[in-house]
Amino acid sequence: MSTTPGSADSATQPPIGIDELLERVRADYERIGAQEAYEAAHAGDALLVDIRYAALRERDGLIPGAHVVERNELEWRLDPQGSHRLPEATSHALRVIVICNEGYASSLAAQSLRQLGLHRATDLVGGFQAWRGAGLPVE
């Protein structure tokens, strides 16, 4: 029997809202604060990945050293087995900290990376706005 969206099996499961989905996703890993993310990146223990769209980056600036990867390219750029990966994406043990504007889209992105086997993927609580609010470097 098919379990595709709209099938009888999926119809028996009530849909969940985005708030519940975020809660479920975030329960599977530990998120990281701005200062801890800064220290991990500065120590070379983590790769910061900024998934904000161009207008936000232009308006608010960039985190020095963060890799800008559009959300629609994220999995292809960070999959260690992928042909289009970043040079740094060489291992599933890579610690990736995903950063969006306020820390919502990054949670879903981190979960997607974890599904690819990047078991240390996480996201920044509060996103770029928390980074800037903590007085951390922005260019």
Side-chain angles (χ1 to χ4, degrees):
M1 178 175 271
S2 173
T3 59
T4 58
S7 71
D9 286 348
S10 66
T12 62
Q13 296 290 331
I16 63 169
I18 188 61
D19 293 332
E20 185 176 344
L21 177 61
L22 279 172
E23 187 176 312
R24 289 180 186 184
V25 164
R26 290 172 175 169
D28 287 340
Y29 66 93
E30 186 175 331
R31 300 176 78 211
I32 190 169
Q35 187 63 43
E36 186 181 352
Y38 171 78
E39 291 169 5
H42 190 68
D45 183 44
L47 185 71
L48 301 179
V49 178
D50 186 343
I51 63 168
R52 293 175 302 142
Y53 55 89
L56 289 176
R57 294 191 311 266
E58 290 169 11
R59 182 189 78 188
D60 294 337
L62 299 169
I63 295 173
H67 293 268
V68 174
V69 178
E70 297 288 337
R71 176 62 190 97
N72 64 328
E73 297 178 356
L74 184 69
E75 291 81 1
W76 286 268
R77 303 293 283 152
L78 290 170
D79 179 3
Q81 299 173 344
S83 59
H84 299 306
R85 67 177 174 77
L86 292 173
E88 295 83 359
T90 59
S91 167
H92 285 94
L94 179 66
R95 185 177 185 195
V96 177
I97 302 170
V98 184
I99 303 165
C100 67
N101 193 49
E102 295 182 344
Y104 295 98
S106 58
S107 294
L108 299 176
Q111 193 243 6
S112 180
L113 293 177
R114 294 174 71 81
Q115 288 176 326
L116 281 177
L118 292 153
H119 62 275
R120 295 180 70 204
T122 187
D123 73 310
L124 179 61
V125 176
F128 179 86
Q129 298 306 322
W131 180 281
R132 185 172 62 183
L136 295 169
V138 175
E139 50 184 37

